[in-house]
Amino acid sequence: MLDGKKTLFSGMQATGNLTLGNYLGALKNWVTISDEYQTFFSVVDMHSITVRQDPAELRKRARMLLTLYIAAGLDPEKNCIYYQSHVSGHAELSWILSCFTYMGELSRMTQFKDKAAKHADNINAGLFTYPVLMAADILLYQADVVPVGIDQMQHLELTRDIAFRFNNIYGDVFTVPEAYIGKAGAKIMSLQEPKKKMSKSDENPNGSIYLMDDPDTVIRKFKRAVTDSEASVRYRDEQPGIKNLIDIYCACTGKTPQETEREFDGKGYGDFKMAVGEAVVSVLKPLQDRYKDLSGNKDYLDGIIKANAEKAQYLSNKTLRKVQKKIGFPEKIR
Ligand code: TRP
């Protein structure tokens, strides 16, 4: 607990182009709840190298993501926004925690199984211990809450198990974190296959709206979005395409599905798709403008990156020192 506020940690990988799904499902909620917590929002570039990356591309995307955090409305003076690789404690704690994590636990992780199947030519040890690094991220800052999507719940459960296990042996060293399940952090589906999550790794670019898509592209993608033959704007599971469009519309306008059904009662899909596209453009446009301003301001961004990395390094060191002492590493001579 710092400044009387609970601590919140979350992170995103700098791989792929961020989508509207990442924004409405995660980033936007981070902004909404950030005031209530002492926050750490990391660009987890160390996790990214568990699959092969092009170095220049990784560097570029990491900076884009960090800039987007700020453009989305996270004030970098109040929120610790930083690159994971700039803070040495992540790797150091990760090693220690890996000695408190069982092979059996890691082999049960569904993300590992999925990624190992997808990258069969590169099933490296880092891919396997990925969840330990994630546990280190969270426990380093004694986070109380961690906003995560359903797909990361298993990793968070493991983090809790590791923290409990460690605390049982050494006393109360770690705060045991809770998942923060947002008030319906909208789950956005693909515009082309509405039963699949909108994903930055989708091969079909028409399925996803990217945060940097220009207005014409956004409108065009919505015009092409897959619907059904019912021709009525109804919020029902039987109409997954329309349901997804309603979710997107609601997340962008603050309206409820019922209000949306009423608004488009008797209207065709053409009108509705146009309205959804426009609602999305009006959310993305200001974000893109801020992004452009920020990325043109190199000195300002560099200053933020430096100051926040120092802050994160300082705060994480407190936990790391405590852990090193507990497990019996000799004290450094200063
Ligand atoms: N594994 C998370 C994901 O892919 C990213 C992540 C890394 C993370 N460390 C974290 C999320 C710590 C929350 C807390 O989505």
Side-chain angles (χ1 to χ4, degrees):
M1 183 100 70
L2 285 157
D3 302 338
K5 283 182 179 174
K6 287 192 166 182
T7 300
L8 177 153
F9 186 99
S10 202
M12 269 189 215
Q13 290 207 49
T15 35
N17 260 331
L18 236 59
T19 69
L20 184 66
N22 299 122
Y23 177 69
L24 296 176
L27 203 44
K28 187 165 176 262
N29 295 321
W30 290 4
V31 178
T32 314
I33 59 178
S34 60
D35 271 351
E36 297 164 44
Y37 297 93
Q38 160 91 15
T39 63
F40 295 85
F41 294 112
S42 188
V43 171
V44 293
D45 47 358
M46 291 165 68
H47 279 102
S48 298
I49 63 164
T50 52
V51 300
R52 212 55 85 217
Q53 302 291 336
D54 174 74
E57 190 68 12
L58 177 60
R59 194 163 10 249
K60 190 178 104 193
R61 290 201 187 281
R63 187 155 176 121
M64 272 182 78
L65 183 57
L66 187 133
T67 309
L68 265 173
Y69 284 3
I70 305 172
L74 293 170
D75 178 350
E77 308 280 341
K78 295 192 186 137
N79 303 278
C80 190
I81 292 173
Y82 73 100
Y83 297 120
Q84 184 187 32
S85 63
H86 280 191
V87 178
S88 58
H90 292 261
E92 293 178 72
L93 184 61
S94 183
W95 168 253
I96 295 170
L97 297 181
S98 73
C99 301
F100 294 84
T101 309
Y102 298 112
M103 299 289 284
E105 289 176 309
L106 293 174
S107 9
R108 281 195 290 277
M109 296 292 121
T110 57
Q111 183 177 295
F112 170 71
K113 290 190 237 176
D114 291 348
K115 287 199 180 174
K118 220 170 136 192
H119 304 277
D121 55 337
N122 181 19
I123 307 178
N124 61 71
L127 196 63
F128 191 63
T129 56
Y130 177 115
V132 183
L133 179 58
M134 180 162 161
D137 297 342
I138 297 167
L139 301 180
L140 253 190
Y141 302 95
Q142 306 286 357
D144 299 278
V145 289
V146 183
V148 280
I150 301 282
D151 62 322
Q152 295 297 314
M153 275 304 283
Q154 200 185 21
H155 291 164
L156 193 66
E157 276 304 319
L158 179 65
T159 303
R160 289 166 53 84
D161 290 344
I162 297 172
F164 270 125
R165 187 171 303 149
F166 199 94
N167 287 351
N168 261 328
I169 307 174
Y170 300 103
D172 276 338
V173 177
F174 293 125
T175 302
V176 180
E178 306 267 348
Y180 182 101
I181 311 286
K183 314 164 200 86
K187 186 168 180 202
I188 306 302
M189 313 306 276
S190 158
L191 300 185
Q192 292 298 316
E193 293 168 82
K195 288 185 176 157
K196 257 178 51 186
K197 199 172 133 182
M198 184 182 285
S199 159
K200 41 187 181 175
S201 49
D202 197 334
E203 265 129 49
N204 181 353
N206 288 321
S208 301
I209 301 289
Y210 300 107
L211 293 189
M212 291 299 149
D213 279 350
D214 60 55
D216 288 348
T217 307
V218 171
I219 301 286
R220 179 173 49 77
K221 286 182 181 176
F222 277 105
K223 277 189 183 157
R224 286 196 193 166
V226 167
T227 49
D228 51 61
S229 53
E230 306 236 348
S232 65
V233 180
R234 291 272 171 275
Y235 194 70
R236 310 187 310 143
D237 290 338
E238 295 75 25
Q239 292 169 261
I242 285 296
K243 185 167 184 245
N244 185 38
L245 294 183
I246 295 178
D247 279 331
I248 294 173
Y249 187 70
C250 292
C252 291
T253 59
K255 292 176 186 170
T256 65
Q258 291 69 35
E259 285 166 345
T260 308
E261 285 181 346
R262 247 175 279 133
E263 186 179 346
F264 294 94
D265 190 26
K267 298 213 174 97
Y269 285 164
D271 289 344
F272 179 54
K273 285 176 167 184
M274 200 60 200
V276 183
E278 279 164 5
V280 169
V281 167
S282 67
V283 166
L284 292 190
K285 186 72 176 53
L287 191 130
Q288 294 170 352
D289 290 346
R290 279 197 299 275
Y291 178 85
K292 222 184 257 155
D293 276 354
L294 283 163
S295 42
N297 203 338
K298 182 172 183 306
D299 291 346
Y300 169 76
L301 268 185
D302 286 348
I304 294 292
I305 290 170
K306 181 164 185 279
N308 278 329
E310 281 166 4
K311 183 174 164 194
Q313 180 75 31
Y314 172 79
L315 292 170
S316 60
N317 251 335
K318 294 190 178 185
T319 304
L320 191 62
R321 288 250 172 80
K322 198 163 155 190
V323 170
Q324 289 168 332
K325 195 168 169 192
K326 290 279 184 185
I327 54 180
F329 288 175
E331 240 178 286
K332 276 189 189 149
I333 316 290
R334 282 168 208 286

